[in-house]
Amino acid sequence: MSLLELHQVSKFYGEGETAVRALYEMDLSVDEGQFVAVMGPSGSGKSTLLTIAGSLEEPSSGEVYVGGAALSRMGRNDKARLRRRAIGYVFQDFNLLPGLSAAENVALPLELDGVPSRRALQIGCSTLERLALADRAGHYPDQLSGGERQRVAIARALVGERRLLLADEPSGALDSRNGEAVMRIIFDACRSGVGAVVVTHDPHLASWADRVVFLRDGRVANAPDAVAGASAGRPLASPG
Amino acid sequence: MSVRHALLAFLSARPKYGLQLREEFEESTGEVWPLNVGQVYTTLQRLERDGMIESDESEDEPGPQKVFKITEAGRVELDQWLNTPPDMAQPPRDELVIKVLSALRVPGVSVHDVIQVHRRYLVELMQQWTRLKEDEADFDLTFALVGDAELFRLDSVVRWLDAADSRLKRAALEPPDTKPAPLIRRRLVTRR
Ligand SMILES: Nc1ncnc2c1ncn2[C@@H]1O[C@H](COP(=O)(O)OP(=O)(O)OP(=O)(O)O)[C@@H](O)[C@H]1O
Ligand SMILES: [Mg+2]
């Protein structure tokens, strides 16, 4: 069973003449442990795809399934619980709360979900440890570098039992080393079973994914496959 | 790639046997640019002829057992080569660029589809490199560096495709340009 499934999802903003078609009859399925990168020009619907997949917005038509459950058949509270427990988000601008330490930021979603704060903080710290950020646990966001902040944001998105990670340009403002560190963390999370959908403009970073989906005008860009011969080429296979 | 200068670099620290040179060469670039044995020995022969290296006199044929050492002239040559930028002023005749330019002229062909075919192929290649690098890079610094070079090269091609894609999309929305194209031929001039 796939972790996330979009079935014929369309999203229109506005109505009539001025309606914008942000997504159109989109199908996508992400399995457990799968790392999917989404690429495409500005305005092609990448962020819309993530917000709909994460139940932050509703599709105009079509259905989204998370862990097999159809979002349209869930009540408000169920959706909210799903967002708190099963889905982690990382946005381009970090969304760390400035008044909380790194560990407190990571623990926040657990606390919101009713985990006692001492316990939540413990889990937060061990998540930071897993991402090699243990020594930053007590730092406040303004005491962290951009790369560290983004890694903390990913820690927060992964804390607890989250199975689905949705990240919109998580490495947007980072240099290539930090960008790669972010991708490596997501890559490792996927090895432990998390399914991830990551939007990026950076081909280098997208190349960490198991699968790359290209969007164009709200649809998956369906160009024919490269003519065999070229597509048979593998690095190192043909000495040049 | 310059086998000649790579060999000079290998000899710069101390004299080495022909066999040793071949092995070092294979180790450092081996998987990426396989090189046949003959090429190493003929290059050594030429380097000796040009006075860049010397060998002991014991054997005539440049072979595995002969010891080679770099000369002063060889050091000068090596130093100059290291510090001379390769010629990047002239655009290479890039086949992919030509394909995209050609696609524009073929009726019934969507240049955006052509771009997408190549973009997908290049990103797939990059995925393979990233996997290989992930598996090997911890053990093999040379491989990691070569992998980075390859990834950045492919990355720049994909980015060019992205830029071309959106430039063409924008151009299609705008009215055709009525100004005549200027006849000036522009060239890059670089200090070398
Ligand atoms: N709330 C909104 N109201 C109206 N139109 C919107 C809204 N959100 C997005 N759109 C439109 O939907 C389309 C897709 O937007 P989206 O943000 O998904 O693009 P994107 O692929 O994420 O682009 P970028 O790479 O620039 O972030 C765009 O044309 C955008 O203008
Ligand atoms: Mg966006």
Side-chain angles (χ1 to χ4, degrees):
Chain A
M1 183 188 59
S2 37
L3 190 58
L4 169 70
E5 206 159 317
L6 269 68
H7 186 68
Q8 294 286 296
V9 166
S10 298
K11 178 71 181 178
F12 299 91
Y13 290 108
E15 276 174 18
E17 291 280 286
T18 58
V20 175
R21 191 178 82 182
L23 275 186
Y24 192 64
E25 296 182 350
M26 173 89 187
D27 288 324
L28 179 74
S29 130
V30 180
D31 291 335
E32 280 185 9
Q34 207 174 38
F35 183 167
V36 176
V38 178
M39 301 188 78
S42 183
S44 59
K46 305 181 297 295
S47 297
T48 306
L49 170 69
L50 283 196
T51 49
I52 288 178
S55 90
L56 297 171
E57 260 188 287
E58 296 196 351
S60 308
S61 62
E63 185 60 89
V64 179
Y65 302 86
V66 176
L71 293 185
S72 69
R73 277 184 244 137
M74 277 187 200
R76 250 174 173 217
N77 292 339
D78 288 342
K79 268 202 240 179
R81 185 165 337 110
L82 183 79
R83 281 197 295 267
R84 278 201 311 272
R85 291 201 179 148
I87 307 177
Y89 305 88
V90 181
F91 300 102
Q92 181 164 359
D93 30 12
F94 316 108
N95 297 309
L96 293 184
L97 297 181
L100 301 181
S101 69
E104 287 163 348
N105 261 289
V106 176
L108 187 64
L110 297 175
E111 280 196 65
L112 292 176
D113 202 31
V115 177
S117 50
R118 267 183 69 113
R119 177 81 193 115
L121 205 58
Q122 265 170 9
I123 301 174
C125 285
S126 70
T127 306
L128 285 173
E129 206 169 311
R130 266 205 340 255
L131 304 188
L133 283 164
D135 54 338
R136 295 289 184 279
H139 286 50
Y140 288 86
D142 63 355
Q143 299 169 323
L144 298 169
S145 76
E148 288 163 348
R149 274 199 292 261
Q150 201 58 327
R151 276 145 66 202
V152 171
I154 293 175
R156 192 182 57 183
L158 291 171
V159 75
E161 302 292 297
R162 312 312 182 70
R163 306 316 292 155
L164 179 60
L165 176 69
L166 303 171
D168 201 347
E169 299 270 5
S171 46
L174 304 179
D175 68 4
S176 65
R177 261 189 72 90
N178 276 305
E180 200 164 296
V182 163
M183 287 322 223
R184 189 184 300 273
I185 288 171
I186 298 174
F187 181 86
D188 289 342
C190 291
R191 288 295 158 272
S192 69
V194 170
V197 183
V198 178
V199 168
T200 178
H201 277 110
D202 187 337
H204 209 123
L205 296 178
S207 73
W208 281 81
D210 301 311
R211 184 151 58 93
V212 182
V213 174
F214 298 92
L215 294 194
R216 196 162 93 209
D217 300 330
R219 322 182 67 152
V220 175
N222 266 328
D225 278 332
V227 176
S231 57
R234 291 192 56 242
L236 310 186
S238 50
Chain B
M1 93 163 267
S2 178
V3 179
R4 213 177 139 81
H5 294 104
L7 288 175
L8 285 177
F10 284 127
L11 283 174
S12 61
R14 65 194 131 78
K16 279 170 187 162
Y17 288 109
L19 180 68
Q20 211 180 345
L21 277 171
R22 199 194 86 204
E23 281 173 357
E24 277 189 30
F25 202 100
E26 269 171 1
E27 255 168 50
S28 76
T29 58
E31 280 178 287
V32 190
W33 293 292
L35 181 78
N36 67 46
V37 190
Q39 243 177 310
V40 173
Y41 293 130
T42 50
T43 308
L44 286 171
Q45 222 164 5
R46 283 197 209 113
L47 281 169
E48 190 167 11
R49 183 198 63 199
D50 298 344
M52 303 291 163
I53 60 175
E54 292 168 347
S55 63
D56 51 353
E57 303 298 318
S58 56
E59 285 178 66
D60 295 340
E61 288 294 300
Q65 302 308 329
K66 216 166 170 179
V67 176
F68 295 92
K69 92 179 203 235
I70 193 166
T71 63
E72 199 41 48
R75 283 189 195 286
V76 172
E77 169 77 16
L78 176 61
D79 188 63
Q80 270 183 0
W81 175 73
L82 286 176
N83 292 296
T84 307
D87 184 2
M88 294 198 163
Q90 305 310 316
R93 226 172 291 152
D94 189 311
E95 200 183 334
L96 188 55
V97 177
I98 294 168
K99 283 183 196 219
V100 170
L101 295 180
S102 302
L104 287 171
R105 294 187 163 68
V106 185
V109 163
S110 153
V111 67
H112 297 289
D113 284 350
V114 170
I115 285 174
Q116 178 56 23
V117 167
H118 295 290
R119 174 163 37 218
R120 183 195 290 170
Y121 168 69
L122 290 163
V123 171
E124 276 168 12
L125 271 185
M126 291 180 72
Q127 286 175 279
Q128 293 182 32
W129 271 108
T130 299
R131 286 283 173 285
L132 285 171
K133 222 179 73 174
E134 189 56 12
D135 294 342
E136 304 280 335
D138 288 345
F139 317 105
D140 189 341
L141 181 62
T142 308
F143 186 81
L145 289 168
V146 172
D148 281 341
E150 228 13 54
L151 278 164
F152 278 110
R153 188 179 67 82
L154 295 167
D155 179 276
S156 74
V157 181
V158 177
R159 284 172 191 272
W160 173 71
L161 287 174
D162 290 345
D165 206 3
S166 51
R167 186 182 288 279
L168 288 167
K169 198 171 168 187
R170 240 180 303 131
L173 296 175
E174 282 164 10
D177 205 345
T178 47
K179 269 186 295 175
L183 289 171
I184 312 155
R185 294 261 147 245
R186 287 174 293 275
R187 291 188 64 195
L188 292 183
V189 181
T190 52
R191 187 174 52 84
R192 282 173 38 87

